[in-house]
Amino acid sequence: MRKCLAARVYVEQATISFDKPFDYAVPFDLADQICPGQRVLVPFGRANKKRQGMVVQILERDQSEIAIIKPILSILDTTPVLTDEMLKLANFMRDHTFCTYFEAIKPMLPAGINMRIIASYRYAPKADRLPVSQLDADAQTIVAYLKNSGACVKRARMLEIMGLQPDSTLPDELVKQGFLIRTDDAVRRVGDATVRMVRLHPLYDPDTAGKLTAKQRAVVEFLSDCETASVKEVCYFTGVTQAVVTTLCKKEILICYENAVYRSPHHENIKQQTLPIQLTEEQQAAYDGLLRQYEQADKGETALLYGVTGSGKTQVFLKLIDRAVEQGRGVIVMVPEIALTPQTMQIFRTRYGSDIAIFHSAMSLGQRTDEWKRIKNGDAKIAVGTRSAVFAPFSNIGLIIMDEEQEHTYKSESAPRFHARDIARFRCGYHKGLLVLASATPSVESFSLAKAG
């Protein structure tokens, strides 16, 4: 007998009163693909409206129990977007900031990777037998438009063409009456950036491929040497047009595919310079104390680095970061928005080069999404940015630094209303790392706690 699985799911757009996990049946064809941390599309409520959900647990259930619960409609992520740590962090934020589970998840994911449900409408075949003449003028216009188009039309587009208000209920009323069919699809806000690549077909045989033109031979010879290249590179180095490459793909001499690339916020190449750090006696004493806490952090430690402006706190940071990176652990460096100047970024980029990922409000959605992906894929070891950097998806955090920790910009003023310091403490506790709060004018709370040990 096949085992039956159920997924425990938190749904989007829940209110505090019913913000709890709901059990959904996992279809047999999705059983091998689903796991906690993935987003799914589920029917919710009496109307079974499609909503986005986050899987937090997979359970085994009897056939009789599975038969009475609604099934998951589809899985939206091929791999989990949230780790076990992030799922626990969402519960922590939900309990401490009085927000819903999905509101807690929202800042953990870059805006570009968030999904939105888009409604589309099409003409219902059975509507031919319904009395269209009894509808009002606007309803008749919508039905006639969709019947003539013969395709699904997105809600926003249709309302714009018809001159209706964005909150119009007319399309859904026509669905209830049987004139239209509604479809809800989950769509990412920002897609992945890709480059069109080509390579020789593995079954390509020069003896049986037939006669090639001089330009086609030039492309084949070029790819024989370099194995794979982008279409633009092929055209540049061989002097041919894209039509030549397309023809070779149609002849199955080449294979064309899309390769994901990162949209980097670094606009110019900077020569990396890893110079030894020379500390003064006071800086060395501070570093030694912090290093002891870092290496003995069995449950996560927090320290306050108190030093006037210009005392060299950054030099102490950099030496601590070097130690954490040497051990293969992730590092998060947070600064207030006002402190994230080009000079600050220059220091980190010159020392660590492509090992850093940057997060701040001046970046595009695509750039922020790709920086998040670089960390998740292990291509970046250090996250530098404002409040949102505290959620960088490292799998093993060794060090979190909050510079100018007293600044109000570390507090979120919209739901979830968290303080980045609390999130950093939770993450350091989970990973057994060190949180360093630094300031020339620390907050009264941090100063008092530091004095108390």
Side-chain angles (χ1 to χ4, degrees):
M1 183 177 178
R2 301 172 86 177
K3 66 178 181 179
C4 298
L5 296 180
R8 193 149 282 177
V9 178
Y10 278 96
V11 294
E12 190 180 25
Q13 298 175 357
T15 62
I16 294 292
S17 61
F18 65 89
D19 184 38
K20 62 180 182 179
F22 296 88
D23 287 355
Y24 284 87
V26 178
F28 287 125
D29 58 331
L30 299 180
D32 294 332
Q33 305 169 36
I34 196 165
C35 57
Q38 287 177 312
R39 291 171 296 183
V40 292
L41 203 60
V42 295
F44 189 77
R46 292 182 180 178
N48 285 328
K49 284 193 173 182
K50 292 182 181 178
R51 286 200 189 179
Q52 187 183 169
M54 174 61 70
V55 178
V56 295
Q57 192 177 3
I58 303 296
L59 308 164
E60 287 194 23
R61 288 285 185 262
D62 294 333
Q63 182 70 44
S64 57
E65 294 176 295
I66 291 293
I68 61 174
I69 59 177
K70 299 174 184 178
I72 286 173
L73 301 175
S74 63
I75 299 175
L76 303 180
D77 301 300
T78 54
T79 58
V81 291
L82 295 182
T83 61
D84 177 65
E85 177 211 358
M86 290 299 189
L87 294 175
K88 289 177 179 176
L89 177 58
N91 273 320
F92 171 82
M93 292 174 67
R94 179 171 173 262
D95 294 341
H96 286 76
T97 65
F98 199 66
C99 68
T100 65
Y101 196 87
F102 240 88
E103 285 174 337
I105 288 172
K106 191 175 179 181
M108 298 182 191
L109 300 173
I113 209 172
N114 286 334
M115 297 279 187
R116 54 180 176 169
I117 307 298
I118 295 181
S120 300
Y121 299 89
R122 62 185 172 89
Y123 181 73
K126 67 176 184 180
D128 290 333
R129 301 190 297 271
L130 298 176
V132 181
S133 58
Q134 296 180 11
L135 300 174
D136 61 32
D138 285 340
Q140 287 188 36
T141 305
I142 289 177
V143 172
Y145 168 71
L146 289 175
K147 183 177 182 179
N148 293 332
S149 69
C152 274
V153 179
K154 291 180 181 178
R155 175 185 171 87
R157 174 67 176 158
M158 185 179 69
L159 295 178
E160 181 185 356
I161 292 173
M162 297 294 122
L164 298 173
Q165 294 297 317
D167 58 351
S168 173
T169 59
L170 184 55
D172 289 318
E173 290 172 5
L174 291 172
V175 171
K176 291 178 182 177
Q177 295 173 34
F179 289 97
L180 305 181
I181 295 174
R182 172 173 168 151
T183 305
D184 292 307
D185 297 305
V187 180
R188 259 181 64 175
R189 292 185 182 274
V190 177
D192 292 328
T194 58
V195 172
R196 194 172 167 220
M197 307 287 289
V198 287
R199 65 172 183 265
L200 286 175
H201 197 288
L203 301 179
Y204 168 66
D205 185 353
D207 299 326
T208 60
K211 189 175 180 180
L212 300 178
T213 65
K215 291 182 178 180
Q216 290 173 347
R217 278 199 307 274
V219 173
V220 171
E221 289 170 3
F222 175 74
L223 290 173
S224 297
D225 293 334
C226 65
E227 295 184 356
T228 184
S230 68
V231 173
K232 285 186 177 181
E233 289 172 332
V234 170
C235 295
Y236 177 80
F237 287 108
T238 61
V240 303
T241 62
Q242 291 192 16
V244 176
V245 178
T246 303
T247 301
L248 288 170
C249 291
K250 288 179 180 177
K251 289 184 174 183
E252 296 187 346
I253 293 173
L254 303 183
I255 292 178
C256 184
Y257 61 98
E258 298 291 331
N259 189 37
V261 295
Y262 293 130
R263 288 159 285 209
S264 174
H266 314 309
H267 298 295
E268 70 278 345
N269 293 321
I270 291 185
K271 188 176 180 181
Q272 192 171 342
Q273 299 174 348
T274 309
L275 301 175
I277 297 173
Q278 301 296 329
L279 300 181
T280 64
E281 189 175 336
E282 285 186 330
Q283 291 170 345
Q284 187 66 45
Y287 170 75
D288 291 340
L290 292 171
L291 184 61
R292 278 195 300 274
Q293 281 190 277
Y294 169 77
E295 293 180 337
Q296 296 171 4
D298 56 345
K299 293 183 180 178
E301 294 284 344
T302 304
L304 175 65
L305 182 59
Y306 177 27
V308 298
T309 304
S311 59
K313 295 189 295 294
T314 302
Q315 297 299 97
V316 178
F317 292 166
L318 294 177
K319 199 155 186 180
L320 275 173
I321 292 170
D322 288 348
R323 186 58 176 263
V325 171
E326 282 173 12
Q327 296 177 346
R329 305 187 73 182
V331 177
I332 297 174
V333 181
M334 285 184 286
V335 294
E337 188 76 51
I338 55 172
L340 195 62
T341 59
Q343 291 86 352
T344 305
M345 297 314 307
Q346 185 85 0
I347 293 170
F348 286 97
R349 289 169 59 186
T350 302
R351 187 167 186 83
Y352 301 107
S354 61
D355 281 343
I356 70 164
I358 299 172
F359 296 90
H360 61 83
S361 59
M363 293 164 58
S364 68
L365 290 181
Q367 287 175 337
R368 276 180 273 178
T369 299
D370 286 355
E371 292 293 86
W372 181 86
K373 283 164 55 183
R374 286 181 63 227
I375 292 175
K376 192 169 180 63
N377 296 337
D379 297 326
K381 302 179 181 69
I382 304 164
V384 181
T386 50
R387 183 178 62 222
S388 60
V390 76
F391 296 106
F394 288 111
S395 58
N396 180 15
I397 295 175
L399 180 65
I400 298 180
I401 295 170
M402 282 185 67
D403 198 14
E404 303 297 337
E405 64 89 24
Q406 81 286 352
E407 286 291 336
H408 72 279
T409 53
Y410 286 124
K411 296 179 182 179
S412 171
E413 295 181 358
S414 58
R417 292 175 175 82
F418 65 91
H419 195 302
R421 181 181 56 218
D422 299 328
I423 306 302
R425 273 208 194 100
F426 179 94
R427 300 201 70 187
C428 283
Y430 185 91
H431 293 280
K432 299 179 181 178
L434 173 65
L435 168 62
V436 178
L437 307 174
S439 177
T441 54
S443 63
V444 173
E445 179 187 1
S446 296
F447 192 79
S448 174
L449 289 171
K451 281 287 188 182

